Amino acid sequence: MTTKFDLVILNGVVVTASDIGKFDIGIKGHTLTPSFSAEEIAGAEIVDAEGGMVMPGGIDGHVHLCQDLKTGPLGLGGECADNFETGSRSAVCGGTTTIITFATQTRADEDRSLLKVVEAYSARAEATGSYIDYGFHVIIVRDDEDVLETELPVLVEQWGITSCKLFMTYETMRLQDYQLLDVMLAALKHSITTMIHAENGEMIQWLTEKLESKGMMAPYYHALSRPQSVEGEAANRTIVLAELIESPILFVHVGSSASAAVIRAAQTRGYPVFAETCPQYLNLTWEDLKRFHSPTCFENSKMICSPPPGPDSSDQDSLYLGLHNGTFTIFSSDHCPFKYDDPHGKMVGILEHEPSMRGPSREDISFPELAHNKVGSFRMIPNGIPGVETRLPLLFTRGISTGRITPQKFVELTSTNPAKLYGLYPRKGAILPGSDADIVIWHPEGTLPPFTLENKHLHHNVDYTPYEGMKFNNWPRYTILRGKVMWANGVLLGKPYDGEYLKRGPNQLGKGVAHFKKDPRRVAAWVRE
């Protein structure tokens, strides 16, 4: 007798972006199937959710893997600690079944071709394999007209890459306003979503130089070099630029209430502005840059990311409100992993800082000893923290369990909206007949004893977590990728090549209201003719 189903999930509370209810789920092959009778599940593998929440698998649309992030003033920087194998392993253990990572162009001549950049990153993924499904964004740091004109359509048609990221800061990556317009207009022609890292690079440079002139170079001062106005001004300017050419935009890793307010105002006018925030902005503050011993302790470099979290918890309240009211479209990790005790990690902030290197040579001393009583330079510390595995458990513990967001909103932010925004819906981000059987099942309420997180619990290739010591009351019990149980009760069952590359379509969340096309005070409609 041939079984109708390969896997059946029983006794779960199924949560989607719109609904919640007690349902059973049948899976045949890679996809979800309609309802069934008890007789039809004979011979199928059974997963008993025991009353736990059953959700679409997490989609993390902001993950850095296999990158050399040379964003320092001299083109220096760190190397991502996670490759596709270790990063995807960490993701699946935290309930994520799809990641979208970055293929990064540089200003070197060999990186002029976006197609060659993507081919190189694809080779890195194929070399190690991925535990989960993955796709690419492309980071564009040049506005070469011939490349944009000839290669963007190929990226869309052959690779299914329908999103690009542009920077307004970092000397080696930022684009001037006219360059932003050039790339946004080219992307718009091919329905490519433009992602923006919005920080005013010149303000940061000016503040950094003033801090350094006062000898204020320890990791803590990274936050002072990036006050809220740095992000707020850049967000406002980008909205004006994008509106000029009627280009939808997505602001990534929004960390401040100032930026969120600017974005909300544009959304209220009906403009297609989307926004992402991340766990660090809901769980960390400037105080975490003083966590280790003293504000000048170099170990605080572990907490450096850009933009930095807010000075205190008041921004967290505003950002939670943004999750609740729709200001934020998606919730991503911005997993950007650098080891601490490594010459290509956070230690770059000492190794490339000449005053800190006076005295014993690096060959004669271990890195922990080298960092002792050294200040280093926050300007040179690689920006980024790990978080792909903790993204969903943090929002579950501090969002759902506290009542700050509903389970449906959780699914919307972490799975369904990313799928729609990045052209994967309804294959991903849904529990529907025919959708990929990507599922995360949580422990039933109250059955997992609360625990304190330690880095040894995690599966990334990083020697710390910024969330060390935080309390959690739930964690994914099962993660299922296209019908295969990958993670069950704390045991990793999947393999590195279980993941597949995903070709994506265009943004499915809309293009705003039509009246902007009739308002020459805001829009240069003739540019697109």
Side-chain angles (χ1 to χ4, degrees):
M1 175 180 170
T2 302
T3 60
K4 182 174 180 179
F5 301 104
D6 298 316
L7 178 69
V8 174
I9 301 169
L10 301 177
N11 305 314
V13 178
V14 177
V15 184
T16 69
S18 58
D19 300 299
I20 184 169
K22 295 181 179 180
F23 301 100
D24 298 330
I25 296 175
I27 298 168
K28 182 66 176 179
H30 292 172
T31 61
L32 297 160
T33 63
S35 59
F36 48 86
S37 66
E39 291 76 17
E40 290 175 313
I41 68 173
E45 180 183 357
I46 303 295
V47 172
D48 190 346
E50 299 180 305
M53 291 188 188
V54 179
M55 300 176 175
I59 299 173
D60 194 339
H62 195 148
V63 177
H64 298 270
L65 301 175
C66 281
Q67 277 185 262
D68 302 335
L69 299 180
K70 296 178 172 30
T71 54
L74 304 176
L76 304 170
E79 297 176 2
C80 281
D82 278 318
N83 59 22
F84 281 85
E85 178 183 355
T86 63
S88 64
R89 178 183 68 199
S90 185
V92 77
C93 296
T96 292
T97 52
T98 297
I99 52 174
I100 308 178
T101 186
F102 293 91
T104 306
Q105 184 187 47
T106 72
R107 290 182 178 155
D109 288 342
E110 59 267 25
D111 277 349
R112 188 171 185 271
S113 168
L114 293 171
L115 292 175
K116 289 184 178 179
V117 168
V118 170
E119 289 166 359
Y121 275 86
S122 179
R124 296 177 190 183
E126 292 171 356
T128 64
S130 173
Y131 282 85
I132 60 176
D133 291 351
Y134 65 96
F136 292 129
H137 312 287
V138 62
I139 290 176
I140 301 176
V141 301
R142 311 166 60 123
D143 63 337
D144 300 315
E145 183 178 358
D146 59 328
V147 173
L148 296 175
E149 183 176 337
T150 61
E151 295 194 355
L152 289 185
V154 179
L155 288 177
V156 173
E157 293 164 14
Q158 295 186 10
W159 286 91
I161 294 175
T162 54
S163 48
C164 66
K165 183 179 179 183
L166 312 180
F167 284 81
M168 301 176 74
T169 188
Y170 302 132
E171 189 64 33
T172 59
M173 304 181 80
R174 77 185 184 203
L175 299 175
Q176 300 301 314
D177 288 357
Y178 75 91
Q179 295 174 307
L180 292 170
L181 286 167
D182 280 343
V183 180
M184 285 194 290
L185 184 59
L188 181 62
K189 291 177 181 178
H190 302 287
S191 299
I192 294 173
T193 297
T194 300
M195 310 160 70
I196 300 290
H197 178 137
E199 289 185 292
N200 185 311
E202 292 189 2
M203 290 173 70
I204 293 170
Q205 182 177 340
W206 187 84
L207 288 166
T208 298
E209 290 172 357
K210 294 299 182 185
L211 287 164
E212 289 178 339
S213 72
K214 297 176 180 292
M216 301 165 74
M217 292 182 288
Y220 173 75
Y221 298 111
H222 168 79
L224 273 64
S225 74
R226 286 166 158 82
Q228 284 199 357
S229 56
V230 164
E231 187 181 7
E233 186 283 329
N236 185 70
R237 177 158 43 99
T238 305
I239 290 168
V240 173
L241 294 174
E243 200 166 323
L244 182 71
I245 58 173
E246 304 174 274
S247 173
I249 49 173
L250 165 65
F251 288 102
V252 296
H253 49 52
V254 174
S256 71
S257 57
S259 184
V262 169
I263 292 166
R264 186 64 177 172
Q267 292 169 338
T268 301
R269 294 202 317 272
Y271 196 70
V273 176
F274 307 101
E276 163 199 271
T277 194
C278 308
Q280 51 268 40
Y281 305 116
L282 300 180
N283 297 282
L284 304 176
T285 70
W286 285 11
E287 289 300 309
D288 289 288
L289 283 165
K290 303 177 182 177
R291 183 184 298 184
F292 298 101
H293 316 302
S294 74
T296 58
C297 173
F298 186 76
E299 193 173 355
N300 292 315
S301 63
K302 292 178 177 180
M303 316 305 289
I304 283 184
C305 60
S306 291
D312 54 46
S313 61
S314 63
D315 275 84
Q316 296 176 5
D317 294 335
S318 296
L319 297 179
Y320 261 113
L321 178 61
L323 293 179
H324 176 77
N325 68 18
T327 301
F328 294 111
T329 317
I330 58 175
F331 183 77
S332 310
S333 70
D334 190 9
H335 177 76
C336 192
F338 300 104
K339 290 184 178 180
Y340 172 68
D341 186 11
D342 189 281
H344 301 293
K346 299 292 186 176
M347 287 292 169
V348 169
I350 288 177
L351 296 177
E352 299 295 346
H353 183 235
E354 192 273 334
S356 293
M357 291 306 296
R358 293 173 187 157
S361 67
R362 69 186 71 180
E363 289 82 12
D364 300 332
I365 192 169
S366 67
F367 288 124
E369 292 175 303
L370 180 66
H372 186 63
N373 290 328
K374 299 287 187 181
V375 172
S377 170
F378 74 81
R379 180 202 289 255
M380 298 180 183
I381 296 168
N383 286 199
I385 55 177
V388 70
E389 189 169 349
T390 48
R391 175 184 70 120
L392 297 184
L394 276 168
L395 191 59
F396 194 106
T397 294
R398 299 193 170 203
I400 292 179
S401 297
T402 61
R404 300 187 85 165
I405 62 170
T406 65
Q408 296 96 313
K409 177 63 73 171
F410 179 99
V411 172
E412 177 186 318
L413 290 162
T414 63
S415 184
T416 304
N417 272 0
K420 292 178 178 179
L421 184 64
Y422 294 126
L424 291 170
Y425 190 85
R427 177 181 175 183
K428 303 290 186 182
I431 297 180
L432 291 170
S435 296
D436 279 0
D438 295 350
I439 302 288
V440 57
I441 304 174
W442 298 85
H443 289 267
E445 184 177 2
T447 62
L448 181 69
F451 67 96
T452 300
L453 184 70
E454 299 178 37
N455 191 55
K456 66 181 181 181
H457 297 148
L458 302 177
H459 299 79
H460 56 203
N461 187 38
V462 193
D463 52 6
Y464 78 97
T465 171
Y467 309 110
E468 183 96 21
M470 290 190 178
K471 298 286 187 181
F472 289 75
N473 63 18
N474 214 325
W475 201 272
R477 186 181 180 192
Y478 298 95
T479 307
I480 298 168
L481 173 70
R482 286 182 280 103
K484 178 177 179 178
V485 179
M486 303 287 290
W487 165 261
N489 295 303
V491 178
L492 179 63
L493 303 176
K495 304 298 181 186
Y497 284 91
D498 285 334
E500 297 178 353
Y501 178 74
L502 298 170
K503 294 181 68 174
R504 300 181 287 115
N507 174 6
Q508 298 163 262
L509 288 177
K511 299 180 180 180
V513 295
H515 76 264
F516 287 108
K517 295 181 180 179
K518 303 174 183 178
D519 187 353
R521 292 167 297 185
R522 292 183 179 274
V523 178
W526 55 268
V527 172
R528 298 174 58 184
E529 295 175 354

